[in-house]
Amino acid sequence: MTVKLKDISSEDIGDVLLKAEKSFGFKFSDDELRDIKTFGELCDIITYKVQGVNSDDCTTQQAFYKLRGAIGAALQIDKKELTVDMKLEDLFPRKHRRRQIRKVELILGFQVKVLQPKQLIVTLLFVFLCASLIGLFFDWQTGLAGLLLSIAGSRISERFGKEFSLETIGQLTEKIARENYKKVRRNAETINRKEIAEKVKELFKTDLDLEENTLPREASFEWTQ
């Protein structure tokens, strides 16, 4: 099965491209995406645009060392004891989890965005949102009030959520390596050009919930401004 990116909403693709710009430190010009037809062409133009001296070292490995150091400093434990298989929920007790994750983020210099509300709360808010949208057709004032409450509830739950969206240090390492590529490298002036296309592919697969081996270079691509 091959994913046709033209069948995915432009808004969702745009969100992924914004993440790519932030991660790799570049900006698309207004008309740069107009003639792109395949996912491979998109990867090629991103690889070309990313600035830096080429180096063959592994960014994911560097991300692990940086994350390991930040967790060790935040929790005041020996960083050498931390491994990729360690469970995040075992390292960060729920009671102090948000404060400790914030310490890790301050040391890293960027947000890891790894906490979320309980799934039950997310489901209930989604149901309430749908009910409010339907309610707009019957009593627009009540429906609008419900809509605003559901949006406010979503923002509050996201702000105070304490559940991990990932399980292990290794999974968090991969996340920050693809979402904060330049910031996790030991030398931000260097890049590994061989990795960039794969990191872009990881961003698309993760954010668009695509399965493995469904995003080859020839996958069709359309972008509408």
Side-chain angles (χ1 to χ4, degrees):
M1 174 182 176
T2 298
V3 170
K4 294 183 178 180
L5 289 175
K6 62 183 180 181
D7 295 333
I8 299 174
S9 73
S10 295
E11 290 79 9
D12 288 342
I13 293 175
D15 289 342
V16 180
L17 293 181
L18 285 174
K19 276 192 177 182
E21 288 180 326
K22 178 182 177 183
S23 181
F24 297 111
F26 73 94
K27 287 287 185 182
F28 286 113
S29 61
D30 291 339
D31 60 350
E32 211 160 9
L33 298 170
R34 185 180 303 163
D35 298 324
I36 292 177
K37 301 300 182 185
T38 67
F39 181 69
E41 291 176 2
L42 176 65
C43 290
D44 290 343
I45 193 171
I46 291 176
T47 301
Y48 173 77
K49 289 180 69 65
V50 179
Q51 299 297 308
V53 178
N54 190 56
S55 175
D56 290 335
D57 48 7
C58 176
T59 302
T60 301
Q61 184 181 55
Q62 293 175 43
F64 170 68
Y65 291 143
K66 189 162 188 172
L67 178 61
R68 184 180 68 168
I71 293 175
L75 301 182
Q76 296 184 335
I77 60 177
D78 185 356
K79 65 181 182 181
K80 294 181 180 179
E81 297 179 359
L82 302 174
T83 67
V84 294
D85 296 324
M86 276 190 171
K87 302 286 187 179
L88 293 171
E89 62 181 17
D90 292 338
L91 282 169
F92 298 93
R94 197 173 187 279
K95 183 177 180 180
H96 304 294
R97 186 170 292 169
R98 292 197 62 82
R99 178 169 57 82
Q100 291 174 333
I101 290 295
R102 181 57 182 155
K103 283 185 178 180
V104 172
E105 292 176 331
L106 288 172
I107 295 170
L108 288 172
F110 55 83
Q111 293 182 322
V112 297
K113 298 180 179 178
V114 72
L115 295 178
Q116 62 184 14
K118 290 183 177 180
Q119 187 57 47
L120 176 60
I121 295 176
V122 174
T123 301
L124 290 175
L125 286 170
F126 178 73
V127 172
F128 188 57
L129 175 64
C130 293
S132 299
L133 289 172
I134 296 172
L136 288 172
F137 294 98
F138 300 95
D139 184 339
W140 72 268
Q141 290 179 321
T142 301
L144 180 59
L147 187 62
L148 293 175
L149 284 173
S150 63
I151 293 173
S154 296
R155 291 181 177 178
I156 292 172
S157 65
E158 288 176 3
R159 182 176 180 181
F160 295 101
K162 293 184 178 181
E163 308 305 315
F164 280 113
S165 58
L166 301 172
E167 293 185 3
T168 66
I169 289 180
Q171 291 174 342
L172 181 54
T173 296
E174 293 172 357
K175 181 179 190 294
I176 67 174
R178 63 177 176 263
E179 295 182 1
N180 300 273
Y181 184 87
K182 298 277 278 189
K183 291 181 180 179
V184 298
R185 290 189 61 81
R186 283 191 296 267
N187 183 349
E189 301 301 318
T190 67
I191 60 172
N192 185 342
R193 293 198 178 277
K194 295 179 182 178
E195 296 178 329
I196 294 176
E198 186 59 33
K199 294 300 181 189
V200 173
K201 186 174 183 178
E202 289 175 9
L203 276 174
F204 269 79
K205 288 193 300 184
T206 302
D207 283 38
L208 300 179
D209 196 25
L210 304 178
E211 297 180 359
E212 290 290 333
N213 304 318
T214 60
L215 198 58
R217 284 182 56 85
E218 61 271 18
S220 55
F221 184 91
E222 287 184 2
W223 173 255
T224 56
Q225 298 285 349

